[in-house]
Amino acid sequence: MKAGIVGLPNVGKSTLFNCLSNAKAQSANFPFCTIEPNIGVVNVPDPRLEKLEALVNPERVVPATVEIVDIAGLVKGASKGEGLGNQFLGNIRETDAILHVLRCFDNDNIVHVDGSIDPIRDKETIDMELQLKDLETVEKKLEKVKRTAKTGNKEAQKEEAVLMALKNGLEAGVSVRAITISKEERAEFVKPLQFITDKPVMYVCNVDEGSAVEGNAYVEKVKAAVADENAEVIFLAVGTEADITELETFEERQLFLEDLGLSEPGSAKLIRGAYTLLNLETYFTAGEKEVRAWTIPIGATAPQAAGVIHTDFEKGFIRAEVIAYADYVQYGSEAKVKEAGKMRVEGKEYVVKDGDVMHFRFNV
């Protein structure tokens, strides 16, 4: 599951990517610095993992990860192939969620591709290009479906009505995710077409250091502009975050954060937000050799969760022994949890809860 960082050229995408992944993607003060997408595998910060480590004292700890992709900056006309348009749109189609970076700071030394700072205009520029690409997809599909619908095919007529609603919405500048369509119709007719503007989105407002704690007027404008989109908005000072990651020790980084009035880096909040945006959650395995966070889609059953460790675990699944994270912390060890009668045995139908500590029994 991948989240793609998108935005106009020069809004701080590659600097943000570097902060998140500690990979050194090229970032510089000119447009189209990023051409090929950079991919980073980023650890998901999770205090529960640290707590389990302290209780179990394992030989090693393995956190959950999420893939972040830094995609080339997009410009007006991208849907028609301007700039790196076709490449950009191809790369973004391959991601599962969008982190849309908006420049929300003033600095005359950093050029803006449109010559002035206006995050709402920037957002609309990108939205429009993505919507135009989706409109192209709808129109192609509509051509085929209309022919079948004319023969009296009821299913095709139903699909035609949904596609017309999408077409009208996109022409009015509404993204697919915000167009009112029933859940069933969305699953049947919308999801298979993989619309770019149907992907979940988080708006990342890149602010100056002075706005790192409370945001600024630009951020408030963005929040107001996306209120109907069912999208999350977060803000962080990307340049400052980059400075923090350059510090050598944990203590130095903590002091820097305290000076700013922050309890943790904004990037940690962003990574957790991206993980949720991708509809992912975590369960844990905890033993002397290893404490590990495993990534599963929200709603996964116990056999599906077991399959993430190894396909044999899913094929030969017998049962899962489950401890709620809160119980593990309260009693302090697996043995004491068992003594207190708080370990549960769950079967194939069990839907895993975020934070469950699990053992699987299987036979292949």
Side-chain angles (χ1 to χ4, degrees), residues 16 19-20 42 45 234 236 241 245 264-273:
L16 175 62
C19 286
L20 297 178
V42 181
I234 73 163
L236 67 161
E241 297 270 336
T245 59
E264 66 172 353
S267 54
K269 193 165 62 173
L270 189 149
I271 294 163
R272 285 197 297 270

Side-chain angles (χ1 to χ4, degrees), residues 37-64:
N38 297 297
I39 299 178
V41 178
V42 181
N43 290 344
V44 179
D46 193 332
R48 297 174 302 182
L49 195 62
E50 292 162 27
K51 188 72 180 169
L52 288 171
E53 180 186 7
L55 292 171
V56 178
N57 194 24
E59 288 174 23
R60 67 176 191 151
V61 177
V62 184

Side-chain angles (χ1 to χ4, degrees), residues 3-52:
I5 301 177
V6 307
L8 290 176
N10 241 27
V11 295
K13 298 186 309 303
S14 294
T15 306
L16 175 62
F17 175 81
N18 288 339
C19 286
L20 297 178
S21 65
N22 290 329
K24 298 299 173 195
Q26 191 186 3
S27 59
N29 186 17
F30 58 88
F32 298 128
C33 182
T34 306
I35 295 175
E36 288 300 324
N38 297 297
I39 299 178
V41 178
V42 181
N43 290 344
V44 179
D46 193 332
R48 297 174 302 182
L49 195 62
E50 292 162 27
K51 188 72 180 169
L52 288 171

Side-chain angles (χ1 to χ4, degrees), residues 10 16 42 50 53 82 117 152 161 180 184 222 233 245 262 266 282 290 292 361:
N10 241 27
L16 175 62
V42 181
E50 292 162 27
E53 180 186 7
E82 290 292 322
I117 309 305
T180 308
E184 295 72 26
V222 172
V233 178
T245 59
L262 295 169
T282 302
E290 180 182 88
R292 184 168 187 148
R361 302 294 174 197

